[in-house]
Structure formats: C-alpha cells, structure tokens
Amino acid sequence: MPPRLALTSLSVCLALACVGAAFVAVPRAFAAGRDDTAWLQARLDAGGTLFLPKLPNGECYATLGLWVSRDGTSVTSDGACMVALGRGEARMKTGAGVPVRATAVFFLNHSNIFDPLPVRVTLSGLDIRVPAAKRMAGVEVFGHEVTLSRVRISGGPTADVVIGAGKIGAGGMTARIAILDCVLSGGKRDIVTAYGPVGLRVERSTLSGGAHLAGFRPAAGLHIRAGDRGQPTLDVHVVGNRMLDNAGPGIFLDLDPKNGLPILASGIELRGNEVRRNGAEAAGPDRGGIVLAGGQNDGKGSVALRGNVVRGNWGPGLHGRKLALALAASANDLRFNSGGASRGLRATAAARPAAPSPATKPASGTSGGARDDTDWLQRRLDVGGGTVFLQRLPNGACYRTRGLWVSHDGTTVDSDGACIVSLGHGPVRLHSIDGDPITSNAVFFVNRSSRLRPAPIRVTISNLRIVVPRAQGMFGVGIFGHRVTLNHLEIAGSPIDDVLIGGRANGNGYVGQVAVLGSVLSGAERNAISAFGVIGLRIDGNTIQGVRDGPPSQPGAGIDVEPDDRGQPTLDLRITRNTISDNAGPGVLLELDSNSGPAAIADDLEISDNIIVRNAFGRWPPKRAGIVLAGGQDGGEGKLLLARNSIRGNGGPGVLGTHLKLDVAGSANDLSGNAGGTTSGLRH
C-alpha cells in the first residue's frame, strides 16, 4: 500500500509550485508481510531527495533491491532501518542476454544500457540490514561521484559495499567514490570491495567481522582489486578507519590480476588506520593485517603507509606479495602480529618487454596499383610481439595494405622511412557493447583481437609515412591499447583523423600512457588527433597542420580531446612543444562537456610551450579560437596549466572558454593578433 506523504515546513512550498523541495516519506501502519519496494522504487525513479524518517518501536522498512539510476539522487535518514527482502527487478540485460537484477538494497546503476551511469548520488544516515539467506549486498555502486555517509550495514550481506566490477579482459574505472563515517560489518566475501577506483576515499569508518564463505577467499575489511591489467587504481586514500576481526586481511591491496600487473596503480595512501585481529582464516599468501600484492607494471607506482596501528593480526602486520610498488612507510605500529612486523616488502623488478624477434624482410610484391601487402603483414603481426622492420622500397614505391590489427604485447613496427598506403578497412575481429562489428579502420589498428584477451601494451610505431586516400573512411593510426608510442611518423592524405586514441571495445573504457612524439600530422578531415578516455596522454614535439572540415561542421581541430561519455576520464594530459597551424577549427579543443554532462574526471591537464597560429578560419567548424576550453570536471575542481604558449593570428579569441568548469592557471602566454582578441569566457 502506498505511503501517505507528510508536508514538512520545507516542502509546504510544493503546494505553491516551488521547486527543490525534499520528499519526506511517512508510511502507513503495516502488517508482518510488509513490503515497501513499490513506493520506494517510484520515489527513486523520480530522482531528487528522499528523506526516510525512523519508524516507531524500532520497526524497519522492508524492500527488494532498489535501482538508483537518476543523477543527483539523495536518500537521507535520521537512522531508519531497512531490511532486505531479496533481489529486485531486472531492468536490462548483459551483452549475452542475461537479465541484470538489483542485487543490493541500493543498486546504483543505469536502468538502460544506452543511458549514462548515474552521478552525484548520496546515501546517508541509513541502517541497512541484509539477512544472509537473501544473498545480496548492502550497496553496489556502478556510477560515479557517489558518497556513503553515516551508513550502517549489518547482517550477512555478500559484501556490505561493492564498487565497480572487473574480470580478465574487462575492467574499467569507477570515479570519485567516498565512504565516510560508516559502520560496516558481516560481509561474507568482503566488507568493501572496490574495483578500478580512481579518487576513492574511505575515511573514519569501521569495517569489521568479515566472514569466510565457502569457495571464496576469507573476507577482507577493505579489498581494492584490479580484475584486469588495464583496470586502474589511482588516487586512493584510506584514512582514519578501523579494520577489525575480519577473516581475511584488514586491508588487501590486490593488484596482481592473472593477465599481468596493472598499467596504472599509483597514488595510494593508507594513513592513520587501526588494523587489529584480522586474517585468522586466510591462507599463507593472503594472511596479514595489511596485504600488498602486485603493483604497477613498470614498477613506478607508489603506496604510502603512515601512522597505522597494525597489531594482533594473524600473519605479518605488513605482508607483500610480488610487490611492484614504491613503498614509503613511516611511523607504523606493527607489534604483536603472529607473523612478525613485515614480510615480502622488497619490490620485485619491473616487468621487462620481451626480447625483440629478428627483423622481418618485406615480402616480394609488384609495385604500382596492384600491390597488396595485407596478408603477409597481418601474418607477421599475428605471430606475436617483436620487431617488424619495413625497409624503404626502391623508386619511391609504397607498401599497400588494408587495416592491420596490432594485438600483441611488445610489438614494434619500425622503418628507415618507408611509406605505406591504405587500401581500406580490414577484417572484423571485435564487436562493440551494442553488437556493432568493429573492423580495423586504421592503417595500424592497435587493439585486442578477441574479447577474451586484454588490450595490448608496449606497442611502438616509428619512422613511417602513412597515406590515406580520400573517401576510404579510414584513420591513420587507431590506438586502443596501453603504453603505445608513435614516434616520427608522417601521416597524410585524407584520413578521418590522423590519429584516433580511445578505449573503444578494449575492455577498459580508456587508454593509459599513450605518447605521440615528433610526428607530422596533416590533411585530416575531422581532427589531426582525436582522443577520448585518456589517462597519461603525451602529445609532444609534433607538427599538426592542415586539418580540413569534411563533411562540414566537424571540429576541424588540430587536437580534440573529447570524451564520448561523462564517465570517460581525461587525466594527466600533456600537450607540449607542438606547432599547430592552419587548421580549419581550433588549434586545441578540450571539449570536456559530453552529451551526458560534465566529465566525472578531468584533472591534471597541461597545455604548454606550443606555437598555435592561423587556426580557426574555416567556414563551418562550430567553435573558433586558438584554444577552446569547454566544460571540465563536474564540480569544477579539475585543474589546467596553460603556460608559455604563442597563440597568435587565429580566428576568434586566442583562448575561448564555454561553460567552463576548470581551474585555469595561465602564465606567460602570447595572445596577440587573434581576430577575437586575447580571451573570452574565462573566469578571473
């Protein structure tokens, strides 16, 4: 039966058509078979703020799993309890057609696979109780910018809180999650599990009593995991918590997936935590107060442990396993643990690329229009890793090929200046999440060839001239793998983009540590470089020129950094020492407001020491300036350094800001002689 709605003094204005009021739910009296699912779900589907008052006589709301799919949803209470009745309705299906049900009391996820994941969700002041027989979690988080504050979860949940998901071949990020002043207990797999966190805060909370469910590892208090080597763990702060009496470790930093050490695992802080009496049921490698396993692939990731009290645990106080992190530890109390203070904390050597295979010789082929080198080149690339050396052909002849899949780790394509001409799309080896076939639509298409494999890493393509004839619908190079370097390339003709960089179908939703260096990029129809979903992108020392505007109303930019979705990150971006000239649209376009809203992550950005001249005189590009800064990180906390650029003679202003949500620090820029003046739309 639906509840009566009581009007508080705040919500009286509803009768007067005021906006922004909070709903206060006051349910009717109930029988033993109480079920509040229908009206609670209806309130959540409406969005906004819902206040659940504490019920009399210690009574609890009772509900099946609830979908939380609307941006800006807030559920607050003065301590009301909620009891789980079981899994909620299915609102969508996986790619394999399996229905997705609400498997937590609060299931924070989009309700339609084509909608963006929810952002800006808050749960506070609630007491959530999950009977073990229901096989549910307390809260599952698949959105971004989510805060749990003063939440209590107890009973026998599978896990009190689950953040994100990850497995071999599929693991993306979950951004800006905070667990503050919570009391979480009883989880059978973990108290808190966090996959791929970027900007995670766990502060002043108690995580205790994690159990041991048959077939699973004993439950950790806090389990931070990388399910796939491409799943990131960045900017994580675990401060001032109590991890007590868990069957597994108090804190388990689990950065050692089966398909290799993660590409990004750094900026992790464990400070001022009390970690006691954990690990009683953990096996040897996982036993300890704090367990640190694996780390960043290149050994350059960092973790800091300061001022933690780690006492009375089974196993060592600090237990390292295959540690590949730079560890800074100070002022930790590690006394009275059964395995001593610490073990295994010496970092292992960083992973090294495989030794290159012998350089290959070009197959014989006829010169001229009949030449097609696709088959032998693709066979070489599919052998796996090593160096493919393309010798310059006599008489100025060029290799000719359809789009080539580059799918193996440690692949290098090098040359002494040979040219290679596109013949069109290559074969389909992947499908997008919505089932669309993906061909190799770049001369070099750097991506995995199967959903069962991770995105490739350590790929280098150097010293080639790549030509894409008009009307092929092709890119010069498509980069969907991690740690990919383009060095001293010349890309010309009429590609859609000279270089396309992003996370399409790579299993991670972003690409990490890509570099475009010392290259000459020209002739693109849309943008010279298009980038979406990037962490650690370097664009340095290039000449970027002559972008067209075809068909009309394309950005026409030299560099366009533009997430397709607000969940795609733009983090640690460096655009430095480039000459960007004579492009139809802006020299640089940071378009950080996607169609689904401002970016969840857009921070640590730099545009410095560039020459940006004579851009934005095309007829059709929608935005005109030397540099365009549009949108930014949701909440406006992202930062951009704009320094020592020569931005002169462009159409429109030197720097144009639109809907700006960035903290821009500008210095020593030459903004003279632009048609629209020096700047427009920047905050001062």
Side-chain angles (χ1 to χ4, degrees):
M1 184 175 291
R4 289 183 294 109
L5 288 180
L7 293 176
T8 67
S9 58
L10 174 65
S11 58
V12 168
C13 67
L14 280 172
L16 302 176
C18 296
V19 295
F23 282 109
V24 179
V26 181
R28 296 179 187 273
F30 61 93
R34 177 189 189 100
D35 186 345
D36 296 285
T37 306
W39 70 267
L40 281 170
Q41 189 62 72
R43 292 289 183 268
L44 292 170
D45 287 343
T49 296
L50 171 63
F51 181 81
L52 293 177
K54 186 182 290 189
L55 296 178
N57 304 317
E59 294 167 342
C60 296
Y61 300 92
T63 182
L64 298 172
L66 298 165
W67 287 81
V68 183
S69 302
R70 293 287 299 272
D71 294 352
T73 299
S74 178
V75 183
T76 66
S77 180
D78 55 358
C81 65
M82 303 182 70
V83 174
L85 296 177
R87 298 185 176 192
E89 65 179 309
R91 289 195 165 183
M92 58 183 182
K93 294 182 179 181
T94 67
V98 178
V100 177
R101 300 183 66 182
T103 53
V105 176
F106 289 100
F107 188 73
L108 280 62
N109 203 344
H110 51 195
S111 295
N112 184 312
I113 198 169
F114 298 108
D115 290 340
L117 293 168
V119 297
R120 299 185 302 276
V121 174
T122 299
L123 304 177
S124 65
L126 294 161
D127 180 355
I128 299 171
R129 304 173 187 181
V130 185
K134 302 305 179 183
R135 298 182 180 180
M136 294 176 64
V139 179
E140 292 190 57
V141 179
F142 298 100
H144 308 290
E145 301 177 62
V146 176
T147 298
L148 276 61
S149 175
R150 297 178 291 104
V151 171
R152 180 182 293 269
I153 302 176
S154 61
T158 51
D160 293 73
V161 180
V162 178
I163 300 167
K167 62 181 182 179
I168 297 298
M173 74 160 197
T174 307
R176 298 170 61 189
I177 309 300
I179 299 174
L180 310 175
D181 303 297
C182 294
V183 178
L184 311 175
S185 64
K188 292 189 171 184
R189 300 180 187 175
D190 290 312
I191 303 300
V192 176
T193 306
Y195 290 91
V198 176
L200 174 65
R201 302 291 186 272
V202 182
E203 299 179 2
R204 303 179 304 278
S205 297
T206 298
L207 286 64
S208 65
H212 187 185
L213 184 63
F216 294 87
R217 285 171 162 164
L222 173 61
H223 193 175
I224 297 172
R225 303 189 63 180
D228 177 78
R229 71 183 186 186
Q231 190 161 49
T233 300
L234 294 170
D235 186 25
V236 170
H237 298 268
V238 181
V239 179
N241 305 283
R242 304 174 75 222
M243 282 74 173
L244 310 174
D245 303 299
N246 297 291
I251 301 174
F252 190 1
L253 190 61
D254 189 3
L255 306 177
D256 189 22
K258 292 182 179 179
N259 61 354
L261 293 177
I263 306 304
L264 295 169
S266 193
I268 303 163
E269 178 190 29
L270 311 178
R271 175 168 54 85
N273 301 287
E274 181 182 350
V275 183
R276 296 179 186 266
R277 302 183 302 276
N278 302 283
E281 299 184 46
D286 295 344
R287 177 172 283 190
I290 298 176
V291 176
L292 310 173
Q296 188 164 290
N297 181 274
D298 61 2
K300 296 180 180 179
S302 64
V303 59
L305 288 86
R306 296 188 176 93
N308 300 287
V309 177
V310 189
R311 299 178 63 175
N313 300 282
W314 281 262
L318 301 180
H319 192 175
R321 192 185 72 209
K322 300 180 183 177
L323 191 62
L325 288 164
L327 175 62
S330 63
N332 298 291
D333 181 351
L334 305 175
R335 293 177 291 171
F336 309 124
N337 299 290
S338 71
S342 64
R343 183 187 308 161
L345 298 184
R346 179 175 295 178
T348 59
R352 294 183 179 180
S357 61
T360 60
K361 302 293 184 181
S364 59
T366 59
S367 61
R371 182 182 188 109
D372 187 342
D373 297 281
T374 307
D375 287 347
W376 74 268
L377 277 170
Q378 190 63 73
R379 283 197 302 271
R380 294 290 193 277
L381 293 168
D382 286 343
V383 166
T387 298
V388 178
F389 189 86
L390 296 176
Q391 293 179 340
R392 185 184 299 192
L393 297 177
N395 303 318
C398 295
Y399 298 93
R400 298 168 63 85
T401 181
R402 295 192 173 276
L404 298 166
W405 288 84
V406 183
S407 302
H408 287 279
D409 295 352
T411 299
T412 294
V413 180
D414 199 1
S415 179
D416 55 358
C419 65
I420 185 166
V421 175
S422 169
L423 294 175
H425 289 217
V428 172
R429 291 188 175 182
L430 285 176
H431 289 78
S432 68
I433 192 170
D434 51 357
D436 292 338
I438 296 175
T439 63
S440 46
N441 61 353
V443 176
F444 292 101
F445 191 82
V446 184
N447 204 345
R448 59 184 183 170
S449 291
S450 165
R451 285 191 175 274
L452 301 178
R453 297 177 55 184
I457 62 174
R458 299 190 310 272
V459 173
T460 300
I461 302 172
S462 302
N463 301 312
L464 280 164
R465 182 171 188 265
I466 298 170
V467 180
V468 179
R470 186 181 295 274
Q472 287 189 347
M474 290 284 288
F475 300 88
V477 180
I479 300 175
F480 308 97
H482 306 287
R483 295 214 178 132
V484 178
T485 299
L486 307 184
N487 194 12
H488 289 92
L489 296 182
E490 181 183 349
I491 302 178
S494 298
I496 300 173
D497 301 325
D498 294 286
V499 180
L500 177 65
I501 304 167
R504 190 181 187 209
N506 73 350
N508 305 128
Y510 82 101
V511 293
Q513 298 184 341
V514 170
V516 182
L517 310 174
S519 296
V520 178
L521 310 177
S522 64
E525 300 285 350
R526 183 175 65 175
N527 302 302
I529 298 176
S530 289
F532 58 98
V534 292
I535 299 178
L537 173 62
R538 303 289 185 269
I539 303 173
D540 182 76
N542 304 283
T543 298
I544 298 171
Q545 61 193 14
V547 176
R548 303 178 175 94
D549 181 25
S553 298
Q554 299 298 311
I559 300 170
D560 180 3
V561 180
E562 183 171 351
D564 289 336
D565 176 84
R566 65 189 179 192
Q568 291 180 339
T570 305
L571 179 64
D572 186 19
L573 168 70
R574 302 289 180 266
I575 299 174
T576 55
R577 302 190 309 133
N578 304 282
T579 298
I580 305 170
S581 64
D582 302 297
N583 300 292
V588 178
L589 171 60
L590 298 189
E591 186 68 73
L592 302 175
D593 258 349
S594 71
N595 290 333
S596 57
I601 294 284
D603 194 15
D604 191 13
L605 316 176
E606 179 183 354
I607 304 174
S608 296
D609 301 300
N610 301 282
I611 299 172
I612 302 173
V613 296
R614 300 187 304 278
N615 301 283
F617 283 103
R619 181 178 180 184
W620 299 109
K623 293 182 178 178
R624 298 166 181 264
I627 295 176
V628 174
L629 308 175
Q633 182 168 292
D634 195 18
E637 296 179 356
K639 292 180 171 56
L640 166 68
L641 173 63
L642 188 67
R644 300 178 303 280
N645 299 284
S646 180
I647 308 170
R648 296 177 288 103
N650 299 282
V655 181
L656 171 65
T658 64
H659 307 290
L660 193 61
K661 300 178 184 68
L662 283 172
D663 180 0
V664 180
S667 65
N669 297 290
D670 179 356
L671 300 172
S672 61
N674 296 289
T678 57
T679 66
S680 176
L682 298 186
R683 294 179 297 183
H684 296 285

